[in-house]
Amino acid sequence: MKVLIKKSILETMLLNTQPYLEKKDLSQITSHVLLISQEEDFTLKATDYEIGLSYFTKEVKTISIGSATANGKKLLDIVKSLKESKEDDITLETINDYLYIKQNSSKYKLPMLNPNDFPEFPQIDSKPKFEINNTTLV
């Protein structure tokens, strides 16, 4: 997986998923967020087995598709420490069992757990859906 995403978008996604993460045991898969890169969108999921949130955005440049997990709190701390810049997107890339976070000369790596171990979300295909543009809510 390799994507380019704006800091503000990724930070908002991570902030909104924090309440759904396991906070006591950081070795649990539920303390991690699941990042899924597809052709035209990017998904971030978080759950504590009881409740979860799936967050989608199309405001991403996908270089290669795939999935990854990373500790949600640590990833948010890293993203907060990066600079807000219109030209310099954040690069998220998986190499072996690590998620690399890069922006200009700043480089971080976080260990990943197996994305296939992340809990499945229930299928809601038959339920009514609605989409909200996040800029409309501001």
Side-chain angles (χ1 to χ4, degrees):
M1 175 188 92
K2 186 173 183 180
V3 296
L4 299 171
I5 189 167
K6 295 199 180 312
K7 177 190 185 281
S8 60
I9 294 169
L10 183 57
E11 187 173 1
T12 300
M13 292 174 82
L14 289 166
L15 280 168
N16 288 328
T17 56
Q18 292 303 300
Y20 304 96
L21 297 173
E22 173 69 42
K23 295 180 185 39
K24 293 182 178 140
D25 186 0
L26 299 181
S27 65
Q28 292 275 350
I29 190 75
T30 54
S31 69
H32 285 228
V33 291
L34 176 65
L35 306 121
I36 303 169
S37 167
Q38 297 174 339
E39 291 293 328
E40 296 190 15
D41 64 24
F42 180 75
T43 305
L44 193 137
K45 293 182 177 185
T47 184
D48 63 1
Y49 286 117
E50 293 180 17
I51 190 167
L53 178 70
S54 185
Y55 207 120
F56 301 88
T57 185
K58 291 187 180 290
E59 297 179 39
V60 65
K61 181 178 180 188
T62 302
I63 296 170
S64 64
I65 62 172
S67 59
T69 65
N71 181 283
K73 174 79 171 99
K74 290 180 182 178
L75 182 57
L76 176 60
D77 291 343
I78 289 170
V79 171
K80 280 183 174 180
S81 73
L82 298 173
K83 294 179 180 166
E84 181 67 53
S85 173
K86 292 183 180 183
E87 300 86 32
D88 302 318
D89 290 345
I90 296 173
T91 302
L92 300 174
E93 181 177 17
T94 55
I95 301 173
N96 297 327
D97 289 334
Y98 290 95
L99 175 67
Y100 288 83
I101 303 102
K102 302 175 194 170
Q103 184 191 51
N104 296 331
S105 61
S106 300
K107 295 178 182 161
Y108 301 89
K109 81 176 185 180
L110 291 174
M112 296 188 329
L113 297 176
N114 186 347
N116 295 328
D117 293 341
F118 199 83
E120 289 288 323
F121 276 42
Q123 295 297 322
I124 55 169
D125 293 334
S126 62
K127 305 289 184 201
K129 296 181 187 179
F130 63 94
E131 289 189 23
I132 300 173
N133 183 339
N134 63 349
T135 56
T136 306
L137 293 175
V138 176

mmCIF file of all heavy atoms in Angstrom, residues 34-84:
data_model
loop_
_atom_site.group_PDB
_atom_site.id
_atom_site.type_symbol
_atom_site.label_atom_id
_atom_site.label_comp_id
_atom_site.label_asym_id
_atom_site.label_seq_id
_atom_site.Cartn_x
_atom_site.Cartn_y
_atom_site.Cartn_z
ATOM 1 N N LEU A 34 -7.323 0.272 11.008
ATOM 2 C CA LEU A 34 -7.128 -0.440 9.747
ATOM 3 C C LEU A 34 -7.190 0.582 8.626
ATOM 4 O O LEU A 34 -8.164 1.331 8.515
ATOM 5 C CB LEU A 34 -8.212 -1.503 9.553
ATOM 6 C CG LEU A 34 -8.194 -2.279 8.236
ATOM 7 C CD1 LEU A 34 -6.924 -3.125 8.132
ATOM 8 C CD2 LEU A 34 -9.421 -3.166 8.119
ATOM 9 N N LEU A 35 -6.136 0.624 7.824
ATOM 10 C CA LEU A 35 -6.070 1.539 6.686
ATOM 11 C C LEU A 35 -6.200 0.709 5.416
ATOM 12 O O LEU A 35 -5.458 -0.261 5.244
ATOM 13 C CB LEU A 35 -4.735 2.288 6.688
ATOM 14 C CG LEU A 35 -4.407 3.010 7.985
ATOM 15 C CD1 LEU A 35 -3.111 2.488 8.567
ATOM 16 C CD2 LEU A 35 -4.300 4.475 7.745
ATOM 17 N N ILE A 36 -7.134 1.081 4.561
ATOM 18 C CA ILE A 36 -7.364 0.341 3.317
ATOM 19 C C ILE A 36 -7.285 1.312 2.151
ATOM 20 O O ILE A 36 -8.058 2.271 2.078
ATOM 21 C CB ILE A 36 -8.730 -0.363 3.315
ATOM 22 C CG1 ILE A 36 -8.859 -1.296 4.510
ATOM 23 C CG2 ILE A 36 -8.938 -1.116 2.005
ATOM 24 C CD1 ILE A 36 -10.258 -1.829 4.736
ATOM 25 N N SER A 37 -6.359 1.053 1.261
ATOM 26 C CA SER A 37 -6.192 1.878 0.068
ATOM 27 C C SER A 37 -6.772 1.129 -1.122
ATOM 28 O O SER A 37 -6.375 0.002 -1.404
ATOM 29 C CB SER A 37 -4.702 2.151 -0.144
ATOM 30 O OG SER A 37 -4.483 2.674 -1.415
ATOM 31 N N GLN A 38 -7.727 1.766 -1.809
ATOM 32 C CA GLN A 38 -8.301 1.194 -3.011
ATOM 33 C C GLN A 38 -8.043 2.144 -4.161
ATOM 34 O O GLN A 38 -7.427 3.184 -3.972
ATOM 35 C CB GLN A 38 -9.790 0.931 -2.800
ATOM 36 C CG GLN A 38 -10.019 -0.099 -1.710
ATOM 37 C CD GLN A 38 -11.484 -0.285 -1.359
ATOM 38 O OE1 GLN A 38 -12.305 0.577 -1.625
ATOM 39 N NE2 GLN A 38 -11.794 -1.410 -0.761
ATOM 40 N N GLU A 39 -8.511 1.797 -5.339
ATOM 41 C CA GLU A 39 -8.218 2.600 -6.532
ATOM 42 C C GLU A 39 -8.561 4.078 -6.366
ATOM 43 O O GLU A 39 -7.758 4.936 -6.675
ATOM 44 C CB GLU A 39 -8.979 2.048 -7.746
ATOM 45 C CG GLU A 39 -8.490 0.694 -8.220
ATOM 46 C CD GLU A 39 -7.096 0.733 -8.805
ATOM 47 O OE1 GLU A 39 -6.719 1.761 -9.405
ATOM 48 O OE2 GLU A 39 -6.373 -0.267 -8.652
ATOM 49 N N GLU A 40 -9.768 4.367 -5.877
ATOM 50 C CA GLU A 40 -10.203 5.757 -5.843
ATOM 51 C C GLU A 40 -10.599 6.265 -4.468
ATOM 52 O O GLU A 40 -11.076 7.387 -4.343
ATOM 53 C CB GLU A 40 -11.368 5.961 -6.814
ATOM 54 C CG GLU A 40 -10.960 5.716 -8.245
ATOM 55 C CD GLU A 40 -12.031 6.137 -9.223
ATOM 56 O OE1 GLU A 40 -12.943 6.867 -8.826
ATOM 57 O OE2 GLU A 40 -11.928 5.734 -10.381
ATOM 58 N N ASP A 41 -10.426 5.454 -3.431
ATOM 59 C CA ASP A 41 -10.747 5.949 -2.096
ATOM 60 C C ASP A 41 -9.852 5.318 -1.045
ATOM 61 O O ASP A 41 -9.104 4.389 -1.303
ATOM 62 C CB ASP A 41 -12.226 5.777 -1.751
ATOM 63 C CG ASP A 41 -12.679 4.338 -1.684
ATOM 64 O OD1 ASP A 41 -11.840 3.450 -1.457
ATOM 65 O OD2 ASP A 41 -13.876 4.086 -1.843
ATOM 66 N N PHE A 42 -9.951 5.861 0.147
ATOM 67 C CA PHE A 42 -9.134 5.450 1.273
ATOM 68 C C PHE A 42 -10.071 5.270 2.459
ATOM 69 O O PHE A 42 -10.912 6.121 2.731
ATOM 70 C CB PHE A 42 -8.091 6.539 1.559
ATOM 71 C CG PHE A 42 -7.170 6.243 2.708
ATOM 72 C CD1 PHE A 42 -6.144 5.328 2.569
ATOM 73 C CD2 PHE A 42 -7.322 6.910 3.916
ATOM 74 C CE1 PHE A 42 -5.289 5.076 3.627
ATOM 75 C CE2 PHE A 42 -6.474 6.669 4.968
ATOM 76 C CZ PHE A 42 -5.448 5.745 4.831
ATOM 77 N N THR A 43 -9.942 4.164 3.159
ATOM 78 C CA THR A 43 -10.812 3.852 4.292
ATOM 79 C C THR A 43 -9.974 3.680 5.541
ATOM 80 O O THR A 43 -8.910 3.055 5.492
ATOM 81 C CB THR A 43 -11.599 2.549 4.038
ATOM 82 O OG1 THR A 43 -12.305 2.668 2.807
ATOM 83 C CG2 THR A 43 -12.570 2.263 5.161
ATOM 84 N N LEU A 44 -10.470 4.214 6.643
ATOM 85 C CA LEU A 44 -9.839 4.027 7.937
ATOM 86 C C LEU A 44 -10.902 3.477 8.875
ATOM 87 O O LEU A 44 -11.999 4.043 8.970
ATOM 88 C CB LEU A 44 -9.308 5.371 8.452
ATOM 89 C CG LEU A 44 -8.354 5.289 9.625
ATOM 90 C CD1 LEU A 44 -7.197 6.248 9.386
ATOM 91 C CD2 LEU A 44 -9.048 5.635 10.900
ATOM 92 N N LYS A 45 -10.614 2.354 9.534
ATOM 93 C CA LYS A 45 -11.586 1.719 10.421
ATOM 94 C C LYS A 45 -11.000 1.566 11.814
ATOM 95 O O LYS A 45 -9.810 1.320 11.970
ATOM 96 C CB LYS A 45 -11.969 0.329 9.907
ATOM 97 C CG LYS A 45 -12.732 0.333 8.601
ATOM 98 C CD LYS A 45 -13.118 -1.081 8.202
ATOM 99 C CE LYS A 45 -13.937 -1.083 6.930
ATOM 100 N NZ LYS A 45 -14.408 -2.433 6.599
ATOM 101 N N ALA A 46 -11.873 1.684 12.810
ATOM 102 C CA ALA A 46 -11.491 1.470 14.205
ATOM 103 C C ALA A 46 -12.657 0.805 14.919
ATOM 104 O O ALA A 46 -13.814 1.098 14.637
ATOM 105 C CB ALA A 46 -11.146 2.791 14.876
ATOM 106 N N THR A 47 -12.338 -0.104 15.843
ATOM 107 C CA THR A 47 -13.385 -0.774 16.619
ATOM 108 C C THR A 47 -12.806 -1.273 17.936
ATOM 109 O O THR A 47 -11.598 -1.518 18.043
ATOM 110 C CB THR A 47 -14.000 -1.954 15.851
ATOM 111 O OG1 THR A 47 -15.076 -2.499 16.622
ATOM 112 C CG2 THR A 47 -13.002 -3.042 15.559
ATOM 113 N N ASP A 48 -13.669 -1.400 18.918
ATOM 114 C CA ASP A 48 -13.283 -2.018 20.192
ATOM 115 C C ASP A 48 -14.086 -3.313 20.397
ATOM 116 O O ASP A 48 -14.271 -3.759 21.507
ATOM 117 C CB ASP A 48 -13.460 -1.048 21.356
ATOM 118 C CG ASP A 48 -14.904 -0.630 21.566
ATOM 119 O OD1 ASP A 48 -15.790 -1.099 20.819
ATOM 120 O OD2 ASP A 48 -15.163 0.168 22.490
ATOM 121 N N TYR A 49 -14.554 -3.904 19.343
ATOM 122 C CA TYR A 49 -15.391 -5.114 19.279
ATOM 123 C C TYR A 49 -16.859 -4.832 19.583
ATOM 124 O O TYR A 49 -17.714 -5.614 19.234
ATOM 125 C CB TYR A 49 -14.909 -6.229 20.208
ATOM 126 C CG TYR A 49 -13.663 -6.928 19.738
ATOM 127 C CD1 TYR A 49 -12.503 -6.865 20.484
ATOM 128 C CD2 TYR A 49 -13.638 -7.656 18.556
ATOM 129 C CE1 TYR A 49 -11.349 -7.511 20.081
ATOM 130 C CE2 TYR A 49 -12.494 -8.301 18.130
ATOM 131 C CZ TYR A 49 -11.348 -8.228 18.899
ATOM 132 O OH TYR A 49 -10.213 -8.857 18.496
ATOM 133 N N GLU A 50 -17.176 -3.739 20.261
ATOM 134 C CA GLU A 50 -18.564 -3.433 20.575
ATOM 135 C C GLU A 50 -19.146 -2.406 19.616
ATOM 136 O O GLU A 50 -20.290 -2.500 19.214
ATOM 137 C CB GLU A 50 -18.685 -2.927 22.015
ATOM 138 C CG GLU A 50 -18.378 -3.987 23.034
ATOM 139 C CD GLU A 50 -18.492 -3.471 24.453
ATOM 140 O OE1 GLU A 50 -19.095 -2.411 24.664
ATOM 141 O OE2 GLU A 50 -17.965 -4.149 25.353
ATOM 142 N N ILE A 51 -18.348 -1.403 19.301
ATOM 143 C CA ILE A 51 -18.784 -0.333 18.426
ATOM 144 C C ILE A 51 -17.597 0.047 17.553
ATOM 145 O O ILE A 51 -16.446 -0.128 17.940
ATOM 146 C CB ILE A 51 -19.322 0.869 19.244
ATOM 147 C CG1 ILE A 51 -20.001 1.883 18.344
ATOM 148 C CG2 ILE A 51 -18.235 1.489 20.083
ATOM 149 C CD1 ILE A 51 -20.813 2.921 19.104
ATOM 150 N N GLY A 52 -17.893 0.520 16.359
ATOM 151 C CA GLY A 52 -16.795 0.872 15.460
ATOM 152 C C GLY A 52 -17.175 2.005 14.532
ATOM 153 O O GLY A 52 -18.335 2.421 14.469
ATOM 154 N N LEU A 53 -16.172 2.496 13.823
ATOM 155 C CA LEU A 53 -16.373 3.572 12.868
ATOM 156 C C LEU A 53 -15.560 3.268 11.627
ATOM 157 O O LEU A 53 -14.400 2.880 11.706
ATOM 158 C CB LEU A 53 -15.920 4.913 13.467
ATOM 159 C CG LEU A 53 -16.038 6.127 12.552
ATOM 160 C CD1 LEU A 53 -17.496 6.485 12.323
ATOM 161 C CD2 LEU A 53 -15.306 7.309 13.159
ATOM 162 N N SER A 54 -16.196 3.436 10.485
ATOM 163 C CA SER A 54 -15.530 3.288 9.197
ATOM 164 C C SER A 54 -15.584 4.643 8.509
ATOM 165 O O SER A 54 -16.660 5.199 8.322
ATOM 166 C CB SER A 54 -16.249 2.225 8.362
ATOM 167 O OG SER A 54 -15.564 1.993 7.172
ATOM 168 N N TYR A 55 -14.436 5.180 8.154
ATOM 169 C CA TYR A 55 -14.310 6.537 7.637
ATOM 170 C C TYR A 55 -13.744 6.466 6.226
ATOM 171 O O TYR A 55 -12.685 5.880 6.015
ATOM 172 C CB TYR A 55 -13.356 7.299 8.557
ATOM 173 C CG TYR A 55 -13.531 8.778 8.630
ATOM 174 C CD1 TYR A 55 -13.816 9.400 9.847
ATOM 175 C CD2 TYR A 55 -13.372 9.577 7.524
ATOM 176 C CE1 TYR A 55 -13.939 10.773 9.939
ATOM 177 C CE2 TYR A 55 -13.502 10.946 7.611
ATOM 178 C CZ TYR A 55 -13.782 11.541 8.811
ATOM 179 O OH TYR A 55 -13.901 12.899 8.895
ATOM 180 N N PHE A 56 -14.438 7.053 5.231
ATOM 181 C CA PHE A 56 -14.016 7.020 3.830
ATOM 182 C C PHE A 56 -13.632 8.416 3.358
ATOM 183 O O PHE A 56 -14.230 9.392 3.786
ATOM 184 C CB PHE A 56 -15.152 6.546 2.910
ATOM 185 C CG PHE A 56 -15.678 5.195 3.237
ATOM 186 C CD1 PHE A 56 -16.703 5.039 4.155
ATOM 187 C CD2 PHE A 56 -15.168 4.078 2.630
ATOM 188 C CE1 PHE A 56 -17.208 3.802 4.456
ATOM 189 C CE2 PHE A 56 -15.662 2.830 2.928
ATOM 190 C CZ PHE A 56 -16.683 2.681 3.845
ATOM 191 N N THR A 57 -12.675 8.478 2.441
ATOM 192 C CA THR A 57 -12.385 9.730 1.751
ATOM 193 C C THR A 57 -11.905 9.414 0.336
ATOM 194 O O THR A 57 -11.284 8.380 0.105
ATOM 195 C CB THR A 57 -11.338 10.593 2.489
ATOM 196 O OG1 THR A 57 -11.203 11.835 1.803
ATOM 197 C CG2 THR A 57 -9.986 9.921 2.554
ATOM 198 N N LYS A 58 -12.246 10.290 -0.577
ATOM 199 C CA LYS A 58 -11.754 10.188 -1.946
ATOM 200 C C LYS A 58 -10.620 11.182 -2.177
ATOM 201 O O LYS A 58 -10.025 11.206 -3.234
ATOM 202 C CB LYS A 58 -12.883 10.442 -2.937
ATOM 203 C CG LYS A 58 -13.928 9.338 -2.942
ATOM 204 C CD LYS A 58 -14.935 9.539 -4.047
ATOM 205 C CE LYS A 58 -15.980 8.464 -4.061
ATOM 206 N NZ LYS A 58 -15.518 7.161 -4.467
ATOM 207 N N GLU A 59 -10.320 12.002 -1.174
ATOM 208 C CA GLU A 59 -9.283 13.023 -1.285
ATOM 209 C C GLU A 59 -7.924 12.423 -0.947
ATOM 210 O O GLU A 59 -7.283 12.788 0.037
ATOM 211 C CB GLU A 59 -9.613 14.199 -0.380
ATOM 212 C CG GLU A 59 -10.910 14.887 -0.787
ATOM 213 C CD GLU A 59 -11.250 16.041 0.122
ATOM 214 O OE1 GLU A 59 -10.327 16.767 0.521
ATOM 215 O OE2 GLU A 59 -12.435 16.205 0.413
ATOM 216 N N VAL A 60 -7.496 11.496 -1.777
ATOM 217 C CA VAL A 60 -6.242 10.787 -1.585
ATOM 218 C C VAL A 60 -5.684 10.422 -2.953
ATOM 219 O O VAL A 60 -6.437 10.236 -3.904
ATOM 220 C CB VAL A 60 -6.474 9.522 -0.716
ATOM 221 C CG1 VAL A 60 -7.348 8.521 -1.415
ATOM 222 C CG2 VAL A 60 -5.171 8.898 -0.283
ATOM 223 N N LYS A 61 -4.376 10.349 -3.065
ATOM 224 C CA LYS A 61 -3.743 9.900 -4.295
ATOM 225 C C LYS A 61 -3.176 8.508 -4.036
ATOM 226 O O LYS A 61 -2.239 8.341 -3.255
ATOM 227 C CB LYS A 61 -2.637 10.852 -4.727
ATOM 228 C CG LYS A 61 -1.981 10.429 -6.015
ATOM 229 C CD LYS A 61 -0.921 11.399 -6.464
ATOM 230 C CE LYS A 61 -0.301 10.903 -7.758
ATOM 231 N NZ LYS A 61 0.857 11.717 -8.137
ATOM 232 N N THR A 62 -3.765 7.506 -4.675
ATOM 233 C CA THR A 62 -3.346 6.126 -4.480
ATOM 234 C C THR A 62 -2.243 5.779 -5.466
ATOM 235 O O THR A 62 -2.418 5.907 -6.673
ATOM 236 C CB THR A 62 -4.537 5.170 -4.670
ATOM 237 O OG1 THR A 62 -5.564 5.529 -3.745
ATOM 238 C CG2 THR A 62 -4.125 3.727 -4.454
ATOM 239 N N ILE A 63 -1.121 5.332 -4.933
ATOM 240 C CA ILE A 63 -0.015 4.870 -5.779
ATOM 241 C C ILE A 63 -0.083 3.353 -5.908
ATOM 242 O O ILE A 63 0.081 2.816 -6.989
ATOM 243 C CB ILE A 63 1.330 5.352 -5.209
ATOM 244 C CG1 ILE A 63 1.352 6.887 -5.252
ATOM 245 C CG2 ILE A 63 2.495 4.748 -5.976
ATOM 246 C CD1 ILE A 63 2.471 7.531 -4.526
ATOM 247 N N SER A 64 -0.341 2.667 -4.793
ATOM 248 C CA SER A 64 -0.574 1.229 -4.846
ATOM 249 C C SER A 64 -1.620 0.859 -3.794
ATOM 250 O O SER A 64 -1.662 1.452 -2.717
ATOM 251 C CB SER A 64 0.722 0.443 -4.636
ATOM 252 O OG SER A 64 1.242 0.683 -3.351
ATOM 253 N N ILE A 65 -2.465 -0.098 -4.134
ATOM 254 C CA ILE A 65 -3.544 -0.498 -3.229
ATOM 255 C C ILE A 65 -3.019 -1.491 -2.199
ATOM 256 O O ILE A 65 -1.976 -2.116 -2.381
ATOM 257 C CB ILE A 65 -4.747 -1.081 -3.998
ATOM 258 C CG1 ILE A 65 -4.349 -2.344 -4.755
ATOM 259 C CG2 ILE A 65 -5.343 -0.054 -4.936
ATOM 260 C CD1 ILE A 65 -5.518 -3.068 -5.359
ATOM 261 N N GLY A 66 -3.772 -1.626 -1.109
ATOM 262 C CA GLY A 66 -3.394 -2.573 -0.070
ATOM 263 C C GLY A 66 -4.022 -2.176 1.247
ATOM 264 O O GLY A 66 -4.864 -1.281 1.316
ATOM 265 N N SER A 67 -3.581 -2.837 2.314
ATOM 266 C CA SER A 67 -4.104 -2.524 3.639
ATOM 267 C C SER A 67 -2.983 -2.610 4.667
ATOM 268 O O SER A 67 -1.958 -3.252 4.441
ATOM 269 C CB SER A 67 -5.252 -3.475 4.008
ATOM 270 O OG SER A 67 -4.809 -4.798 3.989
ATOM 271 N N ALA A 68 -3.214 -1.961 5.786
ATOM 272 C CA ALA A 68 -2.229 -1.915 6.860
ATOM 273 C C ALA A 68 -2.946 -1.667 8.176
ATOM 274 O O ALA A 68 -4.096 -1.221 8.194
ATOM 275 C CB ALA A 68 -1.222 -0.801 6.600
ATOM 276 N N THR A 69 -2.252 -1.950 9.270
ATOM 277 C CA THR A 69 -2.747 -1.564 10.585
ATOM 278 C C THR A 69 -1.638 -0.774 11.271
ATOM 279 O O THR A 69 -0.464 -0.956 10.988
ATOM 280 C CB THR A 69 -3.104 -2.777 11.470
ATOM 281 O OG1 THR A 69 -1.918 -3.507 11.745
ATOM 282 C CG2 THR A 69 -4.144 -3.653 10.822
ATOM 283 N N ALA A 70 -2.032 0.101 12.165
ATOM 284 C CA ALA A 70 -1.061 0.849 12.967
ATOM 285 C C ALA A 70 -1.746 1.276 14.249
ATOM 286 O O ALA A 70 -2.962 1.492 14.265
ATOM 287 C CB ALA A 70 -0.554 2.068 12.213
ATOM 288 N N ASN A 71 -0.976 1.397 15.307
ATOM 289 C CA ASN A 71 -1.540 1.853 16.567
ATOM 290 C C ASN A 71 -2.149 3.229 16.353
ATOM 291 O O ASN A 71 -1.476 4.163 15.922
ATOM 292 C CB ASN A 71 -0.446 1.893 17.638
ATOM 293 C CG ASN A 71 -0.989 2.333 18.972
ATOM 294 O OD1 ASN A 71 -1.228 3.514 19.183
ATOM 295 N ND2 ASN A 71 -1.212 1.368 19.848
ATOM 296 N N GLY A 72 -3.438 3.360 16.629
ATOM 297 C CA GLY A 72 -4.168 4.583 16.339
ATOM 298 C C GLY A 72 -3.662 5.793 17.096
ATOM 299 O O GLY A 72 -3.548 6.884 16.546
ATOM 300 N N LYS A 73 -3.329 5.637 18.371
ATOM 301 C CA LYS A 73 -2.847 6.754 19.183
ATOM 302 C C LYS A 73 -1.475 7.213 18.708
ATOM 303 O O LYS A 73 -1.221 8.407 18.555
ATOM 304 C CB LYS A 73 -2.800 6.315 20.656
ATOM 305 C CG LYS A 73 -2.179 7.324 21.592
ATOM 306 C CD LYS A 73 -3.152 8.437 21.934
ATOM 307 C CE LYS A 73 -2.632 9.323 23.036
ATOM 308 N NZ LYS A 73 -2.032 10.555 22.576
ATOM 309 N N LYS A 74 -0.572 6.265 18.457
ATOM 310 C CA LYS A 74 0.780 6.623 18.016
ATOM 311 C C LYS A 74 0.753 7.274 16.633
ATOM 312 O O LYS A 74 1.475 8.232 16.382
ATOM 313 C CB LYS A 74 1.681 5.394 18.007
ATOM 314 C CG LYS A 74 2.013 4.902 19.394
ATOM 315 C CD LYS A 74 2.904 3.688 19.364
ATOM 316 C CE LYS A 74 3.175 3.202 20.783
ATOM 317 N NZ LYS A 74 3.988 1.993 20.803
ATOM 318 N N LEU A 75 -0.085 6.749 15.748
ATOM 319 C CA LEU A 75 -0.192 7.329 14.412
ATOM 320 C C LEU A 75 -0.729 8.760 14.495
ATOM 321 O O LEU A 75 -0.214 9.653 13.828
ATOM 322 C CB LEU A 75 -1.089 6.462 13.525
ATOM 323 C CG LEU A 75 -1.259 6.909 12.076
ATOM 324 C CD1 LEU A 75 0.080 7.033 11.359
ATOM 325 C CD2 LEU A 75 -2.159 5.925 11.329
ATOM 326 N N LEU A 76 -1.716 8.997 15.339
ATOM 327 C CA LEU A 76 -2.246 10.351 15.511
ATOM 328 C C LEU A 76 -1.167 11.287 16.060
ATOM 329 O O LEU A 76 -1.025 12.415 15.584
ATOM 330 C CB LEU A 76 -3.464 10.347 16.443
ATOM 331 C CG LEU A 76 -4.055 11.715 16.769
ATOM 332 C CD1 LEU A 76 -4.526 12.435 15.506
ATOM 333 C CD2 LEU A 76 -5.187 11.581 17.770
ATOM 334 N N ASP A 77 -0.391 10.834 17.033
ATOM 335 C CA ASP A 77 0.684 11.665 17.593
ATOM 336 C C ASP A 77 1.704 12.043 16.527
ATOM 337 O O ASP A 77 2.176 13.178 16.480
ATOM 338 C CB ASP A 77 1.370 10.952 18.754
ATOM 339 C CG ASP A 77 0.484 10.821 19.987
ATOM 340 O OD1 ASP A 77 -0.540 11.549 20.068
ATOM 341 O OD2 ASP A 77 0.804 9.983 20.850
ATOM 342 N N ILE A 78 2.041 11.102 15.653
ATOM 343 C CA ILE A 78 2.995 11.368 14.569
ATOM 344 C C ILE A 78 2.413 12.386 13.597
ATOM 345 O O ILE A 78 3.073 13.353 13.219
ATOM 346 C CB ILE A 78 3.380 10.065 13.840
ATOM 347 C CG1 ILE A 78 4.252 9.201 14.745
ATOM 348 C CG2 ILE A 78 4.084 10.357 12.515
ATOM 349 C CD1 ILE A 78 4.488 7.792 14.228
ATOM 350 N N VAL A 79 1.169 12.174 13.189
ATOM 351 C CA VAL A 79 0.533 13.081 12.225
ATOM 352 C C VAL A 79 0.431 14.489 12.810
ATOM 353 O O VAL A 79 0.673 15.472 12.117
ATOM 354 C CB VAL A 79 -0.842 12.543 11.781
ATOM 355 C CG1 VAL A 79 -1.606 13.564 10.963
ATOM 356 C CG2 VAL A 79 -0.662 11.258 10.983
ATOM 357 N N LYS A 80 0.102 14.610 14.090
ATOM 358 C CA LYS A 80 0.020 15.926 14.732
ATOM 359 C C LYS A 80 1.373 16.640 14.716
ATOM 360 O O LYS A 80 1.425 17.860 14.636
ATOM 361 C CB LYS A 80 -0.458 15.792 16.180
ATOM 362 C CG LYS A 80 -1.940 15.612 16.316
ATOM 363 C CD LYS A 80 -2.302 15.556 17.802
ATOM 364 C CE LYS A 80 -3.782 15.520 18.025
ATOM 365 N NZ LYS A 80 -4.126 15.470 19.457
ATOM 366 N N SER A 81 2.461 15.884 14.811
ATOM 367 C CA SER A 81 3.794 16.492 14.856
ATOM 368 C C SER A 81 4.276 16.982 13.487
ATOM 369 O O SER A 81 5.211 17.769 13.409
ATOM 370 C CB SER A 81 4.814 15.502 15.426
ATOM 371 O OG SER A 81 5.096 14.478 14.488
ATOM 372 N N LEU A 82 3.629 16.523 12.408
ATOM 373 C CA LEU A 82 4.034 16.942 11.065
ATOM 374 C C LEU A 82 3.481 18.321 10.742
ATOM 375 O O LEU A 82 2.517 18.775 11.346
ATOM 376 C CB LEU A 82 3.555 15.912 10.036
ATOM 377 C CG LEU A 82 4.140 14.509 10.187
ATOM 378 C CD1 LEU A 82 3.461 13.548 9.225
ATOM 379 C CD2 LEU A 82 5.635 14.516 9.974
ATOM 380 N N LYS A 83 4.088 18.948 9.741
ATOM 381 C CA LYS A 83 3.688 20.308 9.366
ATOM 382 C C LYS A 83 2.485 20.291 8.431
ATOM 383 O O LYS A 83 2.352 19.394 7.609
ATOM 384 C CB LYS A 83 4.848 21.022 8.684
ATOM 385 C CG LYS A 83 6.017 21.262 9.598
ATOM 386 C CD LYS A 83 7.148 21.940 8.880
ATOM 387 C CE LYS A 83 8.288 22.148 9.856
ATOM 388 N NZ LYS A 83 9.529 22.489 9.224
ATOM 389 N N GLU A 84 1.659 21.323 8.581
ATOM 390 C CA GLU A 84 0.539 21.517 7.657
ATOM 391 C C GLU A 84 1.074 22.281 6.457
ATOM 392 O O GLU A 84 1.551 23.399 6.591
ATOM 393 C CB GLU A 84 -0.581 22.305 8.336
ATOM 394 C CG GLU A 84 -1.791 22.519 7.453
ATOM 395 C CD GLU A 84 -2.526 21.235 7.130
ATOM 396 O OE1 GLU A 84 -2.877 20.505 8.055
ATOM 397 O OE2 GLU A 84 -2.728 20.969 5.937
#
